[in-house]
């Protein structure tokens, strides 16, 4: 325990958000502000063949329903570019107004020029300065993409990636470093190359007529410590909104843990305006898992609320019954399933906490601290489950229908405490 007086202890909570410009990513009436005092936004990306307009529209809808506020799609071929207006049309018919970002590599300048309907239908362009063109072609091809963004009044993300870093720039920085009396490490050189690529490209875009407030930057790498180092330095050197994410987080728990470790440090320091969790999906797993992880990072850090939180104990030798585990899983899934509707009809419900506990040790106490809580019986305890609402015991559930009865209590609480009937 610290023996420091309370006044000397660091404040609880994340640092104030870094001051940045505010960009706007919009489609029709759905305007998503990024940066400034806007909340940290959750983004995602499809993995369908964009040329399959219907399949891509369905996946975008699923991602948006899960809570993705901006969705990126690959635009890599003439067929994909031609499909973009139809994807947008299908989404509009389904009343899914989520902004679409076009992810361009190598041939973006050509696709934007030859497919103006694609350029208009997208809400933002992602430009990778490492592969926009080589040698003498680089500047004019970059300029063509900026000209399209200016013509159609679209924001851009200049997304530098260490796997496709501008090799000419990297070689130049390496040569400069070699001539120093105290050369930097290879990691420091890589960090500097990433940052210079982003900042130089942003400056060039402004020279070409791009509004500074419509530029977002990212410098993605795969290592947790590398990402933290890059973004700390980048945040210090510019006021552009920053998009965070490991470029290849990985599969399963590894991808979730590495993304959480990297982004939590930066978000705690007030760095980051949008995030994407680049998970490799398990075979057959839903794509929207990456959206849920992104939301849960922000919500568990206290930065945003997206869906009611379920607090549940891990279980121990006192909790041999699986009832509390099954109830926690069912309630958590139910709450998330209801959120697309509740978001419209019961605003504020995302702030609700539900506790599902497995024995008498911490069960009643945790349940009293939640909006709604239930303490299920553990080994050797009376087969009774007290239910607490806003700290007050209101009922004791027994028998086979505990799950169904508790769900009714949750529904009634939502109806009476949030939205038009509250």
């Amino acid at each position: 325990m610290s023996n420091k007086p309370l006044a000397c202890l660091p404040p609880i909570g994340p640092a104030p958000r870094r001051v940045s410009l505010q960009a706007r990513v919009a489609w029709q009436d759905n305007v998503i502000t990024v940066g400034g005092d806007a909340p940290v936004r959750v983004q995602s990306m499809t993995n369908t063949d964009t040329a399959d307009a219907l399949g891509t529209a369905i996946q975008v809808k699923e991602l948006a329903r899960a809570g993705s506020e901006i969705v990126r799609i690959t635009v890599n071929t003439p067929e994909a570019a031609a499909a973009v207006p139809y994807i947008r049309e299908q989404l509009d018919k389904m009343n899914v107004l989520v902004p679409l970002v076009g992810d361009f590599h190598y041939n973006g300048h050509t696709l934007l020029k030859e497919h103006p309907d694609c350029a208009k239908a997208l809400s933002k362009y992602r430009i990778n300065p490492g592969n926009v063109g080589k040698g003498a072609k680089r500047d004019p091809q970059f300029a063509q993409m900026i000209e399209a963004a200016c013509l159609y009044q679209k924001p851009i993300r200049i997304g530098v990636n260490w796997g496709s870093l501008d090799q000419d720039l990297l070689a130049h920085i390496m040569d400069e470093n070699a001539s120093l009396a105290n050369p930097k490490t290879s990691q420091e050189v890589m960090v500097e190359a990433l940052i210079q690529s982003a900042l130089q490209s942003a400056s060039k875009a402004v020279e070409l007529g791009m509004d500074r407030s419509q530029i977002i930057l990212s410098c993605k790498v795969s290592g947790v410590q590398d990402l933290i180092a890059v973004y700390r330095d980048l945040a210090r050197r510019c006021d552009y909104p920053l998009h965070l994410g490991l470029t290849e987080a990985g599969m399963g728990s590894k991808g979730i843990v590495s993304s959480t470790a990297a982004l939590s440090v930066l978000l705690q320091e007030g760095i980051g305006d949008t995030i994407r969790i680049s998970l490799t999906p398990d075979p057959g797993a839903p794509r929207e898992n990456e959206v849920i992880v992104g939301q849960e990072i922000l919500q568990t850090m206290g930065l945003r609320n997206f869906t009611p939180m379920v607090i549940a104990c891990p279980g121990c030798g006192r909790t041999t019954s699986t009832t509390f585990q099954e109830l926690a899983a069912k309630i958590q899934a139910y709450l998330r399933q209801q959120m697309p509707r509740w978001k419209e009809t019961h605003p504020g419900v995302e702030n609700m906490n539900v506790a599902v506990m497995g024995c008498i040790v911490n069960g009643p106490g945790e349940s009293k601290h939640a909006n709604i809580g239930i303490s299920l019986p553990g080994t050797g305890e009376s087969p009774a489950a007290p239910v607490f609402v806003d700290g007050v015991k209101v009922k004791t559930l027994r028998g086979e229908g505990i799950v169904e009865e508790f769900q009714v209590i949750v529904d009634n609480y939502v109806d009476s405490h949030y939205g038009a009937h509250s």
Side-chain angles (χ1 to χ4, degrees):
M1 291 288 291
S2 171
N3 57 6
K4 293 181 180 180
L6 289 178
C8 296
L9 294 176
I12 295 173
R17 282 280 297 283
R18 159 184 168 270
V19 177
S20 68
L21 300 170
Q22 187 174 82
R24 293 161 61 87
V25 185
W27 183 255
Q28 295 187 20
D29 294 331
N30 187 24
V31 179
I32 304 297
T33 53
V34 174
D37 58 358
V40 180
R41 302 296 186 180
V42 176
Q43 297 191 22
S44 58
M45 185 175 184
T46 60
N47 62 356
T48 55
D49 180 356
T50 306
D52 175 9
L54 183 57
T56 301
I58 290 171
Q59 190 173 81
V60 171
K61 179 184 178 182
E62 292 169 347
L63 291 167
R65 180 179 172 81
S68 183
E69 294 163 290
I70 301 170
V71 178
R72 184 158 46 113
I73 60 176
T74 296
V75 186
N76 58 337
T77 64
E79 292 77 15
V84 169
Y86 296 101
I87 294 169
R88 184 72 267 173
E89 181 182 345
Q90 290 299 318
L91 291 169
D92 291 347
K93 287 179 180 178
M94 295 185 286
N95 198 34
V96 179
L97 303 182
V98 63
L100 294 178
V101 179
D103 194 56
F104 294 101
H105 300 276
Y106 307 108
N107 59 354
H109 60 291
T110 300
L111 296 177
L112 287 170
K113 180 180 179 181
E114 295 181 354
H115 296 271
D117 287 343
C118 166
K120 295 174 187 176
L122 293 168
S123 297
K124 186 173 77 170
Y125 309 152
R126 184 274 173 107
I127 304 172
N128 184 341
N131 58 33
V132 74
K134 292 185 177 180
K137 293 181 178 180
R138 181 190 183 282
D139 286 350
Q141 290 178 180
F142 179 80
Q144 280 184 253
M145 298 191 73
I146 300 303
E147 287 166 7
C150 293
L151 176 63
Y152 300 112
Q153 298 183 346
K154 307 293 183 179
I156 61 170
R157 171 160 71 91
I158 295 174
V160 183
N161 197 310
W162 78 331
S164 53
L165 190 57
D166 184 335
Q167 293 303 300
D168 291 339
L169 175 62
L170 179 59
H172 174 71
I173 293 174
M174 289 175 67
D175 289 343
E176 284 187 338
N177 185 62
S179 66
L180 296 175
N182 297 300
K184 296 179 180 179
T185 66
S186 58
Q187 189 217 28
E188 290 171 329
V189 170
M190 184 269 291
V191 167
E192 182 61 24
L194 286 163
I195 293 172
Q196 282 199 30
S197 179
L199 295 180
Q200 289 178 13
S201 298
S203 294
K204 186 66 175 177
V206 172
E207 290 176 15
L208 292 166
M210 193 78 200
D211 187 332
R212 288 188 75 248
S213 69
Q214 290 298 79
I215 299 174
I216 300 167
L217 299 185
S218 67
C219 290
K220 289 192 173 184
V221 297
S222 295
V224 170
Q225 295 296 343
D226 291 331
L227 192 84
I228 293 169
V230 168
Y231 275 92
R232 279 175 172 166
D233 202 357
L234 181 60
R236 181 178 58 82
R237 293 163 64 173
C238 76
D239 61 357
Y240 293 109
L242 301 180
H243 172 71
L244 305 184
L246 291 171
T247 186
E248 295 102 9
M251 295 185 71
S253 60
K254 185 270 178 185
I256 293 172
V257 170
S258 58
S259 293
T260 304
L263 270 59
S264 295
V265 170
L266 293 167
L267 292 167
Q268 184 72 11
E269 295 177 2
I271 298 169
D273 300 288
T274 67
I275 64 171
R276 189 219 167 178
I277 312 302
S278 300
L279 295 180
T280 303
D282 292 325
R287 184 69 168 175
E288 52 267 34
N289 279 353
E290 67 174 47
V291 179
I292 294 171
V293 173
Q295 290 181 331
E296 289 179 346
I297 289 173
L298 295 176
Q299 186 152 351
T300 54
M301 290 187 68
L303 295 173
R304 291 187 69 181
N305 288 332
F306 296 94
T307 190
M309 292 288 283
V310 175
I311 302 159
C313 67
C316 66
R318 302 177 63 93
T319 56
T320 55
S321 169
T322 60
T323 303
F324 88 95
Q325 299 166 329
E326 293 163 358
L327 177 57
K330 287 181 179 179
I331 289 295
Q332 183 163 284
Y334 176 74
L335 295 174
R336 187 166 286 279
Q337 290 166 3
Q338 298 306 308
M339 273 310 296
R341 178 175 65 85
W342 281 350
K343 187 164 58 175
E344 303 297 329
T345 60
H346 296 78
V349 70
E350 66 275 7
N351 300 309
M352 183 174 71
N353 288 320
V354 178
V356 180
M357 306 302 293
C359 81
I360 202 170
V361 175
N362 292 318
E366 286 282 4
S367 297
K368 289 176 182 178
H369 288 302
N371 296 111
I372 312 169
I374 185 169
S375 179
L376 290 153
T379 304
E381 295 174 15
S382 173
V387 176
F388 299 84
V389 174
D390 291 330
V392 178
K393 182 180 173 182
V394 297
K395 184 176 289 190
T396 298
L397 303 181
R398 294 181 173 87
E400 300 296 323
I402 287 178
V403 172
E404 292 73 20
E405 290 183 63
F406 186 67
Q407 186 166 304
V408 170
I409 294 171
V410 171
D411 283 336
N412 290 339
Y413 187 91
V414 170
D415 284 336
S416 63
H417 286 73
Y418 302 101
H421 304 293
S422 60

